[in-house]
């Protein structure tokens, strides 16, 4: 079922970009006619649950792709992919593509339904058969380079080994400044060149450039684990991150401009719905923390949102009030509205109250002493952040208390949290009764 009047849809996720560092990118996008929105809140402080919320329109408590004390890292997957709007677009005749260098945003982690997935972290020297073989190995080794190379040799693929070695040698020259953006631009150009404009397109892109690491040889896993154990990163590390992060934003801005110009070149820009946002932010030493995940600080939850609406649709732009919030769960209803209706009303984005969730630490941490164990235990709790009427609160569900602000007296915030949790309980009861 094709519909040539349906707008092309591009969802571009600038992984790890926090709102207060996004100004250079927002300024450039405004020159392309994008509308900028404020008070956009990620549903989680890390990749998998946040991306899952974008495509399903559900909070982590409802889509289930989140960490628990038992379920960590590569075991966290989107199982409820039937709720993804990718399936709706397929039913409407869309051809869909996922371009991502991030293994956590791939079919291996439940992001399915796309006609084609392109792993933009893989060197372009590899053909499709090579990529298929190599992707299976990458999944087994969790994308770590040396184990991956050893696995390729163990599988006795000499031709694949030499291709991988040559490709990654070239990649290392650009790493970590470029983490797949150059490949993304090339792949996007290729797929736009071969796909007929008579078939509407949905392209979801993840760009990883502002994600750590920021220098070659930096042991991010070690830094992260140390921080999760309660150790404050050194001033040298913090200053390096604070210096390199905005440099990466500038590089990402240039690549994003290239993507916009590509869409113009192929005549797809004007009648496309283009959504540019982020899945979460990044701690750069605030509160003694670097990286992301676990915590519910604004530096992790406030993300940029810019939208370019299609010219072949009537668009109603409402003035955003200071108390209007946007959850990333609202991307799905906006896309569905654009596909099904001749009019797009951006009021569908707004909510008086939005939430974010953390269920603890996404990775497996191994404390070495009592103090570290106690700190890890303090993090391994279910917490909810609620934003409403210009206020924010954090409720520790595990310990059943508001942690921020202390002595909270706002009854509306309390009612919002209770209502949210009641909906979670009802959803789980329904799931248990339906099998």
């Amino acid at each position: 079922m094709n519909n040539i009047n349906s707008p092309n849809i591009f969802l571009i996720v600038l992984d790890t970009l926090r709102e207060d560092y996004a100004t250079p990118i927002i300024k450039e996008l405004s020159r392309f006619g994008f509308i900028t929105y404020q008070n956009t809140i990620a549903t989680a402080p890390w990749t998998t649950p946040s991306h899952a919320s974008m495509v399903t329109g559900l909070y982590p408590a409802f889509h289930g792709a989140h960490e628990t004390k038992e379920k960590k890292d590569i075991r966290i997957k989107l199982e409820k992919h039937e709720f993804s709007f990718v399936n709706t677009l397929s039913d409407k005749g869309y051809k869909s593509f996922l371009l991502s260098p991030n293994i956590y945003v791939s079919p291996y982690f439940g992001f399915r339904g796309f006609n084609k997935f392109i792993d933009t972290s893989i060197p372009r020297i590899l053909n499709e058969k090579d990529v298929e073989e190599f992707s299976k190995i990458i999944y087994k080794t969790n994308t770590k380079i040396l184990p991956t190379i050893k696995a390729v040799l163990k599988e006795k693929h000499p031709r694949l080994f030499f291709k991988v070695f040559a490709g990654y040698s070239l990649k290392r020259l650009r790493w970590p400044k470029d983490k797949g953006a150059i490949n993304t631009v090339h792949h996007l150009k290729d797929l736009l060149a071969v796909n007929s404009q008579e078939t509407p397109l949905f392209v979801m892109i993840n760009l990883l450039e502002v994600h750590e690491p920021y220098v070659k040889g930096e042991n991010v896993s070690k830094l992260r684990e140390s921080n999760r154990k309660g150790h404050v990163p050194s001033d040298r590390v913090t200053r390096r991150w604070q210096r390199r992060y905005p440099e990466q934003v500038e590089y990402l801005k240039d690549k994003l401009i290239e993507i916009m110009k590509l869409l113009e070149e192929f005549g797809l820009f004007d009648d496309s719905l283009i959504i540019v946002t982020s899945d979460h932010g990044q701690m750069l030493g605030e509160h003694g923390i670097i990286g992301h995940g676990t915590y519910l600080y604004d530096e992790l939850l406030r993300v940029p949102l810019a939208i370019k609406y299609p010219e072949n649709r009537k668009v109603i732009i409402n003035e955003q009030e200071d108390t209007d919030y946007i959850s990333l769960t609202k991307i799905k209803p906006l896309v569905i509205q654009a596909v099904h209706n001749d009019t797009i009303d951006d009021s569908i984005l707004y909510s008086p109250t939005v939430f974010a969730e953390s269920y603890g630490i996404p990775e497996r941490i191994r404390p070495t002493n009592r103090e570290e164990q106690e700190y890890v235990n303090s993090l391994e709790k279910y917490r909810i952040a609620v934003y409403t009427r210009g206020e924010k609160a954090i409720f520790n569900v595990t310990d059943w208390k508001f942690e921020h602000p202390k002595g909270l007296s706002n009854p509306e915030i309390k009612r919002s949290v209770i209502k949210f949790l009641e909906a979670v309980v009802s959803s789980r009861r329904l799931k248990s009764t339906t099998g």
Side-chain angles (χ1 to χ4, degrees):
M1 177 180 170
N2 290 351
N3 184 354
I4 60 175
N5 293 318
S6 297
N8 297 296
I9 301 168
F10 295 86
L11 172 56
I12 304 174
V13 182
L14 311 180
D15 203 303
T16 319
L17 180 61
R18 51 193 265 185
E19 182 188 40
D20 55 345
Y21 276 78
T23 302
I25 288 174
I26 293 300
K27 283 184 176 178
E28 285 298 328
L29 291 177
S30 68
R31 294 189 178 101
F32 284 92
F34 279 73
I35 304 295
T36 301
Y37 294 90
Q38 309 299 322
N39 288 343
T40 303
I41 307 299
T43 62
W46 71 285
T47 299
T48 304
S50 189
H51 278 79
S53 290
M54 291 186 218
V55 299
T56 64
L58 302 172
Y59 283 103
F62 300 95
H63 62 58
H66 60 77
E67 69 281 7
T68 67
K69 283 187 177 181
E70 296 75 30
K71 189 170 63 174
K72 303 290 184 184
D73 202 36
I74 61 172
R75 292 184 58 208
I76 304 166
K77 302 176 183 180
L78 175 60
E79 304 290 350
K80 296 183 178 181
H81 46 82
E82 69 270 17
F83 291 100
S84 170
F85 68 72
V86 181
N87 301 315
T88 305
L89 297 182
S90 178
D91 293 340
K92 291 287 290 183
Y94 276 76
K95 194 169 185 180
S96 57
F97 299 86
L98 173 59
L99 280 65
S100 171
N102 191 333
I103 190 71
Y104 295 102
V105 187
S106 72
Y108 305 111
F109 287 83
F111 294 91
R112 303 172 191 165
F114 295 89
N115 292 98
K116 187 173 185 180
F117 164 61
I118 301 173
D119 185 340
T120 56
S121 72
I122 295 179
R124 283 168 54 79
I125 193 174
L126 304 180
N127 60 36
E128 287 199 18
K129 184 179 179 182
D130 295 332
V131 169
E132 184 178 349
E133 293 177 358
F134 189 56
S135 294
K136 293 176 182 177
I137 295 172
I138 282 182
Y139 177 63
K140 292 177 184 177
T141 60
N142 198 21
T143 73
K144 292 182 172 61
I145 298 298
L146 285 178
T148 298
I149 296 294
K150 290 178 181 177
V152 171
L153 288 172
K154 186 177 180 181
E155 296 287 336
K156 298 180 180 179
H157 290 304
R159 176 187 55 79
L160 182 59
F161 169 76
F162 286 113
K163 278 191 172 185
V164 169
F165 183 80
Y168 273 97
S169 295
L170 178 60
K171 180 180 176 179
R172 290 291 293 176
L173 295 176
R174 304 168 180 152
W175 179 271
K177 186 172 187 177
D178 186 276
K179 300 181 178 78
I182 292 175
N183 274 357
T184 297
V185 172
H186 286 306
H187 281 297
L188 181 61
K189 186 174 184 178
D190 291 344
L191 76 85
L192 294 180
V194 300
N195 284 280
S196 169
Q197 292 192 28
E198 293 183 358
T199 302
L201 299 176
F202 169 56
V203 182
M204 182 173 175
I205 298 172
N206 177 283
L207 293 170
L208 205 56
E209 273 52 45
V210 299
H211 194 289
E212 75 273 7
Y214 301 117
V215 294
K216 284 184 172 72
E218 186 172 61
N219 192 332
V220 173
S221 297
K222 186 176 180 180
L223 286 172
R224 183 189 300 119
E225 180 162 3
S226 176
N227 205 199
R228 295 282 200 268
K229 292 176 181 178
H231 302 291
V232 177
S234 69
D235 290 342
R236 180 175 56 85
V237 169
T238 300
R239 286 195 299 269
R240 182 167 68 231
W241 280 44
Q242 291 171 349
R243 184 176 68 254
R244 293 300 180 96
Y245 187 83
E247 292 175 1
Q248 291 300 116
V249 173
E250 288 292 331
Y251 181 73
L252 179 61
K253 177 194 72 177
D254 294 339
K255 294 304 164 189
L256 196 56
I257 291 172
E258 289 184 40
I259 290 174
M260 296 306 147
K261 289 182 176 178
L262 259 185
L263 298 182
E264 289 181 330
E265 177 186 335
F266 283 91
L268 298 174
F269 185 85
D270 291 346
D271 290 335
S272 291
L273 173 65
I274 309 172
I275 303 169
V276 178
T277 189
S278 173
D279 54 344
H280 56 78
Q282 184 81 313
M283 301 299 289
L284 300 171
E286 299 90 353
H287 309 284
I289 302 165
I290 57 173
H292 49 270
T294 304
Y295 306 96
L296 295 174
Y297 292 113
D298 279 1
E299 292 87 349
L300 294 177
L301 299 180
R302 287 187 174 271
V303 295
L305 176 64
I307 301 175
K308 204 287 296 179
Y309 290 97
E311 293 183 6
N312 64 356
R313 288 287 188 275
K314 179 183 177 182
V315 180
I316 300 173
I317 304 295
N318 299 270
E319 184 176 353
Q320 185 177 12
E321 302 292 337
D322 291 341
T323 54
D324 288 333
Y325 293 94
I326 299 174
S327 168
L328 291 183
T329 60
K330 293 296 186 175
I331 287 178
K332 177 180 177 178
L334 178 70
V335 168
I336 299 302
Q337 184 188 64
V339 170
H340 286 96
N341 302 314
D342 292 329
T343 299
I344 302 174
D345 186 339
D346 76 347
S347 64
I348 199 171
L349 293 170
Y350 299 137
S351 300
T353 305
V354 297
F355 302 91
E357 300 176 80
S358 172
Y359 289 79
I361 305 173
E363 311 89 10
R364 186 70 63 189
I365 302 296
R366 293 173 176 81
T368 58
N369 58 52
R370 182 179 175 181
E371 287 184 355
E372 289 181 352
Q373 184 64 65
E374 288 177 352
Y375 188 79
V376 169
N377 290 344
S378 74
L379 299 180
E380 291 283 20
K381 298 176 187 289
Y382 177 30
R383 292 177 169 91
I384 301 173
V386 54
Y387 293 79
T388 186
R389 295 187 179 276
E391 294 187 56
K392 177 190 177 183
I394 296 177
F395 185 68
N396 182 329
V397 181
T398 305
D399 295 337
W400 203 254
K401 65 178 182 179
F402 280 95
E403 295 180 326
H404 173 81
K406 291 183 179 179
L408 177 75
S409 59
N410 188 327
E412 187 170 344
I413 291 180
K414 293 180 179 179
R415 283 195 296 269
S416 296
V417 169
I418 295 300
K419 186 176 180 180
F420 181 87
L421 291 173
E422 285 176 344
V424 172
V425 171
S426 296
S427 173
R428 291 176 180 174
R429 283 176 180 166
L430 180 63
K431 180 181 177 182
S432 65
T433 56
T434 57

